[in-house]
Amino acid sequence: MPFDQKPPRTTLRSVASLVEAGAVAPDDRERLEAVSRDFAIAVSPAMLAAMRPGDPLDPIARQFVPAPEELDVAQADLADPIGDEAHSPVEGIVHRYRDRVLLKPIHVCPVYCRFCFRREVVGPGSETLSSTALEAAIGYIRAHDEIWEVILSGGDPLMLSPRRLSEIVAALGAIPHVGVIRLHTRVPVAAPERVTDALVAALDTEKAVYVVLHCNHADELGTAAAAACRRIVRAGIPMLSQSVLLRGVNDDPATMAALLRTLVRHRIKPYYLHHADLARGTGHFRTSIAEGQALMRALRGDVSGLCQPTYVLDIPGGHGKVPVGPTYLSADGPDGRTVRDPHGNSHAYPPEQDHKN
Ligand SMILES: *Cc1c(COP(=O)(O)O)cnc(C)c1O
């Protein structure tokens, strides 16, 4: 339900301001101060307006308002959950797959998600990559002609000013072997007012540009967010989405189906559903992989294929992302295979002939 007081006009960045806004209980203050020493806090006006303040079970509040559970560090939690550091040849670049790199020009976000896998490195401080480091990072891309796609990540690249963003897009666009520029962002939902004509114009280049929206619940896509996405799509930029499977936010089939359909209705194609990474202090958000597979199974068949994301796990240690099912096909045997339909019934699939040579 909407905020009953007048929502603050600025982003809340401290436990004190969250207490004042009624978003956290005063009793939790001390423990949340401890959380805030480790992990940045930012709740934007748009996201504050989308939540029921003071209800820790609200799916929006749960994503952005710090919780005492973040102090519980499980043994499996990792400081660098997906092994970015192992693949960083120069500052600001992660080159894990041959044909694509991440370029991280900025370390800040409009909101700080409590489950973020980069929560150890994002936040206020050294806001952007220095211009020398940025030039070196772009130089690395220029020098590696196997790089076909550059993924702007961070931090949130749409937190850059239109001028800086257009400089980066122009520099990347001028590299002949770069075919695609992809941006991963939460700005259209968390700070839709930033998506101005000037910002969209900054993305104009001859190269293909894709915008991947990070969105985890249908309530994030209110009127202003929808208008921001429309502005991007109308500029000829296809949008995809990426979500994280989060306990208490979107881990039931009805909530997930509502999210996926809302995205598609706004012309945003669901791309990945991420299994929650082993980031420090995020155990309360993590489902089991079996629960994730069951959720995906529930969606298949009942929800349009357009709405289906690929459920992926980013293998700890920097080994890459892989789909983690569910699988519908049994192993190949002398009698062929069995394949399961969306209703859970098994069917025989005949042995396959070897047509090679
Ligand atoms: C996720 C990721 C990518 C992009 O992977 P896709 O499967 O192409 O979406 C690229 N590089 C790194 C380091 C990543 O973590």
Side-chain angles (χ1 to χ4, degrees), residues 40 91-92 104-110 112 118 121-130 153-157 159-160:
E91 195 189 350
K104 303 189 282 186
I106 188 162
H107 308 299
V108 294
C109 297
Y112 291 106
R118 282 209 193 101
V121 292
V122 293
S126 50
E127 256 76 358
T128 59
L129 214 54
S130 72
S153 178
D156 194 316
M159 292 299 279
L160 291 163

PDB file of all heavy atoms in Angstrom, residues 40 91-92 104-110 112 118 121-130 153-157 159-160:
ATOM      1  N   ALA A  40      26.470  -0.760   2.128  1.00  0.00           N
ATOM      2  CA  ALA A  40      25.835   0.530   1.856  1.00  0.00           C
ATOM      3  C   ALA A  40      24.309   0.405   1.879  1.00  0.00           C
ATOM      4  O   ALA A  40      23.753  -0.652   1.548  1.00  0.00           O
ATOM      5  CB  ALA A  40      26.286   1.053   0.500  1.00  0.00           C
ATOM      6  N   GLU A  91      41.841  -2.694 -14.161  1.00  0.00           N
ATOM      7  CA  GLU A  91      40.787  -2.141 -13.317  1.00  0.00           C
ATOM      8  C   GLU A  91      39.535  -1.835 -14.153  1.00  0.00           C
ATOM      9  O   GLU A  91      39.617  -1.260 -15.239  1.00  0.00           O
ATOM     10  CB  GLU A  91      41.299  -0.849 -12.656  1.00  0.00           C
ATOM     11  CG  GLU A  91      40.433  -0.398 -11.505  1.00  0.00           C
ATOM     12  CD  GLU A  91      40.821   0.996 -10.988  1.00  0.00           C
ATOM     13  OE1 GLU A  91      41.870   1.529 -11.388  1.00  0.00           O
ATOM     14  OE2 GLU A  91      40.032   1.539 -10.177  1.00  0.00           O
ATOM     15  N   GLY A  92      38.371  -2.256 -13.645  1.00  0.00           N
ATOM     16  CA  GLY A  92      37.113  -1.920 -14.314  1.00  0.00           C
ATOM     17  C   GLY A  92      36.669  -2.939 -15.350  1.00  0.00           C
ATOM     18  O   GLY A  92      35.582  -2.816 -15.899  1.00  0.00           O
ATOM     19  N   LYS A 104      33.015  -1.855 -15.821  1.00  0.00           N
ATOM     20  CA  LYS A 104      32.357  -1.268 -14.647  1.00  0.00           C
ATOM     21  C   LYS A 104      32.851   0.157 -14.440  1.00  0.00           C
ATOM     22  O   LYS A 104      33.798   0.390 -13.707  1.00  0.00           O
ATOM     23  CB  LYS A 104      32.634  -2.139 -13.413  1.00  0.00           C
ATOM     24  CG  LYS A 104      32.180  -3.595 -13.605  1.00  0.00           C
ATOM     25  CD  LYS A 104      32.236  -4.407 -12.332  1.00  0.00           C
ATOM     26  CE  LYS A 104      33.635  -4.843 -11.992  1.00  0.00           C
ATOM     27  NZ  LYS A 104      33.666  -5.748 -10.818  1.00  0.00           N
ATOM     28  N   PRO A 105      32.178   1.125 -15.107  1.00  0.00           N
ATOM     29  CA  PRO A 105      32.659   2.508 -15.047  1.00  0.00           C
ATOM     30  C   PRO A 105      32.268   3.244 -13.769  1.00  0.00           C
ATOM     31  O   PRO A 105      32.784   4.318 -13.500  1.00  0.00           O
ATOM     32  CB  PRO A 105      31.987   3.169 -16.262  1.00  0.00           C
ATOM     33  CG  PRO A 105      30.756   2.373 -16.497  1.00  0.00           C
ATOM     34  CD  PRO A 105      31.004   0.985 -15.994  1.00  0.00           C
ATOM     35  N   ILE A 106      31.357   2.666 -12.987  1.00  0.00           N
ATOM     36  CA  ILE A 106      30.846   3.387 -11.814  1.00  0.00           C
ATOM     37  C   ILE A 106      30.505   2.376 -10.715  1.00  0.00           C
ATOM     38  O   ILE A 106      30.113   1.251 -11.007  1.00  0.00           O
ATOM     39  CB  ILE A 106      29.615   4.251 -12.224  1.00  0.00           C
ATOM     40  CG1 ILE A 106      29.174   5.180 -11.089  1.00  0.00           C
ATOM     41  CG2 ILE A 106      28.444   3.411 -12.727  1.00  0.00           C
ATOM     42  CD1 ILE A 106      28.278   6.325 -11.554  1.00  0.00           C
ATOM     43  N   HIS A 107      30.684   2.803  -9.472  1.00  0.00           N
ATOM     44  CA  HIS A 107      30.497   1.864  -8.355  1.00  0.00           C
ATOM     45  C   HIS A 107      29.222   2.111  -7.562  1.00  0.00           C
ATOM     46  O   HIS A 107      28.950   1.412  -6.597  1.00  0.00           O
ATOM     47  CB  HIS A 107      31.690   1.933  -7.402  1.00  0.00           C
ATOM     48  CG  HIS A 107      32.999   1.765  -8.092  1.00  0.00           C
ATOM     49  ND1 HIS A 107      33.325   0.625  -8.783  1.00  0.00           N
ATOM     50  CD2 HIS A 107      34.050   2.606  -8.245  1.00  0.00           C
ATOM     51  CE1 HIS A 107      34.527   0.767  -9.326  1.00  0.00           C
ATOM     52  NE2 HIS A 107      34.991   1.960  -9.020  1.00  0.00           N
ATOM     53  N   VAL A 108      28.458   3.134  -7.952  1.00  0.00           N
ATOM     54  CA  VAL A 108      27.258   3.449  -7.168  1.00  0.00           C
ATOM     55  C   VAL A 108      25.988   2.973  -7.881  1.00  0.00           C
ATOM     56  O   VAL A 108      25.977   2.745  -9.084  1.00  0.00           O
ATOM     57  CB  VAL A 108      27.152   4.963  -6.865  1.00  0.00           C
ATOM     58  CG1 VAL A 108      28.272   5.400  -5.953  1.00  0.00           C
ATOM     59  CG2 VAL A 108      27.131   5.785  -8.145  1.00  0.00           C
ATOM     60  N   CYS A 109      24.931   2.823  -7.081  1.00  0.00           N
ATOM     61  CA  CYS A 109      23.624   2.392  -7.576  1.00  0.00           C
ATOM     62  C   CYS A 109      22.563   3.326  -6.994  1.00  0.00           C
ATOM     63  O   CYS A 109      22.797   3.965  -5.972  1.00  0.00           O
ATOM     64  CB  CYS A 109      23.327   0.968  -7.094  1.00  0.00           C
ATOM     65  SG  CYS A 109      24.478  -0.272  -7.702  1.00  0.00           S
ATOM     66  N   PRO A 110      21.381   3.353  -7.629  1.00  0.00           N
ATOM     67  CA  PRO A 110      20.317   4.199  -7.092  1.00  0.00           C
ATOM     68  C   PRO A 110      19.739   3.643  -5.787  1.00  0.00           C
ATOM     69  O   PRO A 110      19.166   4.382  -4.983  1.00  0.00           O
ATOM     70  CB  PRO A 110      19.251   4.180  -8.194  1.00  0.00           C
ATOM     71  CG  PRO A 110      19.501   2.921  -8.949  1.00  0.00           C
ATOM     72  CD  PRO A 110      20.975   2.670  -8.875  1.00  0.00           C
ATOM     73  N   TYR A 112      20.570   0.118  -2.896  1.00  0.00           N
ATOM     74  CA  TYR A 112      21.455  -1.022  -2.629  1.00  0.00           C
ATOM     75  C   TYR A 112      20.615  -2.214  -2.211  1.00  0.00           C
ATOM     76  O   TYR A 112      19.984  -2.215  -1.155  1.00  0.00           O
ATOM     77  CB  TYR A 112      22.531  -0.657  -1.590  1.00  0.00           C
ATOM     78  CG  TYR A 112      23.490   0.341  -2.201  1.00  0.00           C
ATOM     79  CD1 TYR A 112      23.472   1.677  -1.845  1.00  0.00           C
ATOM     80  CD2 TYR A 112      24.336  -0.064  -3.234  1.00  0.00           C
ATOM     81  CE1 TYR A 112      24.293   2.593  -2.488  1.00  0.00           C
ATOM     82  CE2 TYR A 112      25.160   0.844  -3.882  1.00  0.00           C
ATOM     83  CZ  TYR A 112      25.123   2.166  -3.506  1.00  0.00           C
ATOM     84  OH  TYR A 112      25.921   3.062  -4.160  1.00  0.00           O
ATOM     85  N   ARG A 118      27.511  -8.142  -5.428  1.00  0.00           N
ATOM     86  CA  ARG A 118      28.678  -7.245  -5.390  1.00  0.00           C
ATOM     87  C   ARG A 118      28.606  -6.304  -4.201  1.00  0.00           C
ATOM     88  O   ARG A 118      29.171  -5.223  -4.212  1.00  0.00           O
ATOM     89  CB  ARG A 118      28.761  -6.425  -6.680  1.00  0.00           C
ATOM     90  CG  ARG A 118      29.319  -7.216  -7.816  1.00  0.00           C
ATOM     91  CD  ARG A 118      30.052  -6.354  -8.832  1.00  0.00           C
ATOM     92  NE  ARG A 118      30.253  -7.165 -10.005  1.00  0.00           N
ATOM     93  CZ  ARG A 118      29.500  -7.076 -11.103  1.00  0.00           C
ATOM     94  NH1 ARG A 118      28.572  -6.153 -11.208  1.00  0.00           N
ATOM     95  NH2 ARG A 118      29.712  -7.885 -12.111  1.00  0.00           N
ATOM     96  N   VAL A 121      31.642  -4.453  -2.829  1.00  0.00           N
ATOM     97  CA  VAL A 121      32.406  -3.476  -3.618  1.00  0.00           C
ATOM     98  C   VAL A 121      31.607  -2.266  -4.104  1.00  0.00           C
ATOM     99  O   VAL A 121      32.198  -1.266  -4.498  1.00  0.00           O
ATOM    100  CB  VAL A 121      33.102  -4.147  -4.834  1.00  0.00           C
ATOM    101  CG1 VAL A 121      34.201  -5.074  -4.373  1.00  0.00           C
ATOM    102  CG2 VAL A 121      32.119  -4.915  -5.705  1.00  0.00           C
ATOM    103  N   VAL A 122      30.275  -2.353  -4.055  1.00  0.00           N
ATOM    104  CA  VAL A 122      29.507  -1.189  -4.504  1.00  0.00           C
ATOM    105  C   VAL A 122      29.210  -0.278  -3.317  1.00  0.00           C
ATOM    106  O   VAL A 122      29.289  -0.697  -2.173  1.00  0.00           O
ATOM    107  CB  VAL A 122      28.173  -1.584  -5.193  1.00  0.00           C
ATOM    108  CG1 VAL A 122      28.431  -2.298  -6.498  1.00  0.00           C
ATOM    109  CG2 VAL A 122      27.301  -2.418  -4.267  1.00  0.00           C
ATOM    110  N   GLY A 123      28.893   0.978  -3.615  1.00  0.00           N
ATOM    111  CA  GLY A 123      28.532   1.927  -2.573  1.00  0.00           C
ATOM    112  C   GLY A 123      29.275   3.224  -2.744  1.00  0.00           C
ATOM    113  O   GLY A 123      30.176   3.322  -3.574  1.00  0.00           O
ATOM    114  N   PRO A 124      28.850   4.227  -1.972  1.00  0.00           N
ATOM    115  CA  PRO A 124      29.505   5.526  -2.082  1.00  0.00           C
ATOM    116  C   PRO A 124      30.967   5.396  -1.665  1.00  0.00           C
ATOM    117  O   PRO A 124      31.320   4.539  -0.870  1.00  0.00           O
ATOM    118  CB  PRO A 124      28.737   6.400  -1.077  1.00  0.00           C
ATOM    119  CG  PRO A 124      27.527   5.627  -0.684  1.00  0.00           C
ATOM    120  CD  PRO A 124      27.818   4.191  -0.936  1.00  0.00           C
ATOM    121  N   GLY A 125      31.786   6.246  -2.192  1.00  0.00           N
ATOM    122  CA  GLY A 125      33.227   6.180  -1.938  1.00  0.00           C
ATOM    123  C   GLY A 125      33.892   6.606  -3.213  1.00  0.00           C
ATOM    124  O   GLY A 125      33.620   7.683  -3.711  1.00  0.00           O
ATOM    125  N   SER A 126      34.683   5.737  -3.790  1.00  0.00           N
ATOM    126  CA  SER A 126      35.286   6.073  -5.081  1.00  0.00           C
ATOM    127  C   SER A 126      34.223   5.855  -6.158  1.00  0.00           C
ATOM    128  O   SER A 126      34.084   4.770  -6.710  1.00  0.00           O
ATOM    129  CB  SER A 126      36.506   5.191  -5.339  1.00  0.00           C
ATOM    130  OG  SER A 126      36.163   3.856  -5.120  1.00  0.00           O
ATOM    131  N   GLU A 127      33.455   6.903  -6.420  1.00  0.00           N
ATOM    132  CA  GLU A 127      32.242   6.798  -7.222  1.00  0.00           C
ATOM    133  C   GLU A 127      32.438   6.215  -8.629  1.00  0.00           C
ATOM    134  O   GLU A 127      31.746   5.322  -9.051  1.00  0.00           O
ATOM    135  CB  GLU A 127      31.569   8.168  -7.345  1.00  0.00           C
ATOM    136  CG  GLU A 127      30.339   8.327  -6.478  1.00  0.00           C
ATOM    137  CD  GLU A 127      30.618   8.557  -5.002  1.00  0.00           C
ATOM    138  OE1 GLU A 127      31.812   8.556  -4.624  1.00  0.00           O
ATOM    139  OE2 GLU A 127      29.664   8.721  -4.228  1.00  0.00           O
ATOM    140  N   THR A 128      33.382   6.791  -9.365  1.00  0.00           N
ATOM    141  CA  THR A 128      33.562   6.331 -10.741  1.00  0.00           C
ATOM    142  C   THR A 128      35.015   5.917 -10.953  1.00  0.00           C
ATOM    143  O   THR A 128      35.906   6.265 -10.184  1.00  0.00           O
ATOM    144  CB  THR A 128      33.235   7.443 -11.764  1.00  0.00           C
ATOM    145  OG1 THR A 128      34.096   8.550 -11.512  1.00  0.00           O
ATOM    146  CG2 THR A 128      31.786   7.885 -11.676  1.00  0.00           C
ATOM    147  N   LEU A 129      35.201   5.187 -12.026  1.00  0.00           N
ATOM    148  CA  LEU A 129      36.548   4.839 -12.447  1.00  0.00           C
ATOM    149  C   LEU A 129      37.237   6.154 -12.856  1.00  0.00           C
ATOM    150  O   LEU A 129      36.607   6.995 -13.489  1.00  0.00           O
ATOM    151  CB  LEU A 129      36.394   3.924 -13.663  1.00  0.00           C
ATOM    152  CG  LEU A 129      37.375   2.794 -13.910  1.00  0.00           C
ATOM    153  CD1 LEU A 129      37.495   1.894 -12.699  1.00  0.00           C
ATOM    154  CD2 LEU A 129      36.911   1.985 -15.121  1.00  0.00           C
ATOM    155  N   SER A 130      38.500   6.327 -12.497  1.00  0.00           N
ATOM    156  CA  SER A 130      39.195   7.554 -12.914  1.00  0.00           C
ATOM    157  C   SER A 130      39.278   7.573 -14.438  1.00  0.00           C
ATOM    158  O   SER A 130      39.190   6.523 -15.083  1.00  0.00           O
ATOM    159  CB  SER A 130      40.603   7.577 -12.325  1.00  0.00           C
ATOM    160  OG  SER A 130      41.408   6.626 -12.994  1.00  0.00           O
ATOM    161  N   SER A 153      28.244  -2.571 -16.461  1.00  0.00           N
ATOM    162  CA  SER A 153      27.670  -3.042 -15.213  1.00  0.00           C
ATOM    163  C   SER A 153      28.302  -2.210 -14.116  1.00  0.00           C
ATOM    164  O   SER A 153      28.832  -1.144 -14.373  1.00  0.00           O
ATOM    165  CB  SER A 153      27.955  -4.541 -15.115  1.00  0.00           C
ATOM    166  OG  SER A 153      27.472  -5.071 -13.916  1.00  0.00           O
ATOM    167  N   GLY A 154      28.304  -2.663 -12.921  1.00  0.00           N
ATOM    168  CA  GLY A 154      28.944  -1.814 -11.896  1.00  0.00           C
ATOM    169  C   GLY A 154      28.750  -2.335 -10.502  1.00  0.00           C
ATOM    170  O   GLY A 154      28.994  -3.492 -10.248  1.00  0.00           O
ATOM    171  N   GLY A 155      28.176  -1.442  -9.781  1.00  0.00           N
ATOM    172  CA  GLY A 155      27.480  -0.173  -9.995  1.00  0.00           C
ATOM    173  C   GLY A 155      26.464  -0.208 -11.139  1.00  0.00           C
ATOM    174  O   GLY A 155      26.318  -1.193 -11.820  1.00  0.00           O
ATOM    175  N   ASP A 156      25.735   0.891 -11.233  1.00  0.00           N
ATOM    176  CA  ASP A 156      24.683   0.976 -12.237  1.00  0.00           C
ATOM    177  C   ASP A 156      25.079   2.007 -13.291  1.00  0.00           C
ATOM    178  O   ASP A 156      25.195   3.195 -12.987  1.00  0.00           O
ATOM    179  CB  ASP A 156      23.369   1.378 -11.545  1.00  0.00           C
ATOM    180  CG  ASP A 156      22.163   1.175 -12.437  1.00  0.00           C
ATOM    181  OD1 ASP A 156      22.250   1.543 -13.634  1.00  0.00           O
ATOM    182  OD2 ASP A 156      21.137   0.665 -11.961  1.00  0.00           O
ATOM    183  N   PRO A 157      25.284   1.573 -14.536  1.00  0.00           N
ATOM    184  CA  PRO A 157      25.794   2.492 -15.552  1.00  0.00           C
ATOM    185  C   PRO A 157      24.858   3.654 -15.860  1.00  0.00           C
ATOM    186  O   PRO A 157      25.316   4.693 -16.330  1.00  0.00           O
ATOM    187  CB  PRO A 157      25.982   1.599 -16.787  1.00  0.00           C
ATOM    188  CG  PRO A 157      25.137   0.397 -16.543  1.00  0.00           C
ATOM    189  CD  PRO A 157      25.097   0.207 -15.058  1.00  0.00           C
ATOM    190  N   MET A 159      23.608   5.462 -13.737  1.00  0.00           N
ATOM    191  CA  MET A 159      23.890   6.517 -12.755  1.00  0.00           C
ATOM    192  C   MET A 159      24.922   7.499 -13.304  1.00  0.00           C
ATOM    193  O   MET A 159      25.195   8.533 -12.700  1.00  0.00           O
ATOM    194  CB  MET A 159      24.407   5.912 -11.441  1.00  0.00           C
ATOM    195  CG  MET A 159      23.369   5.105 -10.683  1.00  0.00           C
ATOM    196  SD  MET A 159      21.939   6.097 -10.201  1.00  0.00           S
ATOM    197  CE  MET A 159      22.596   6.904  -8.725  1.00  0.00           C
ATOM    198  N   LEU A 160      25.533   7.164 -14.437  1.00  0.00           N
ATOM    199  CA  LEU A 160      26.451   8.111 -15.083  1.00  0.00           C
ATOM    200  C   LEU A 160      25.635   9.268 -15.656  1.00  0.00           C
ATOM    201  O   LEU A 160      24.464   9.109 -15.992  1.00  0.00           O
ATOM    202  CB  LEU A 160      27.202   7.420 -16.223  1.00  0.00           C
ATOM    203  CG  LEU A 160      28.227   6.354 -15.823  1.00  0.00           C
ATOM    204  CD1 LEU A 160      28.564   5.478 -17.019  1.00  0.00           C
ATOM    205  CD2 LEU A 160      29.499   7.000 -15.261  1.00  0.00           C
TER     206      LEU A 160
END
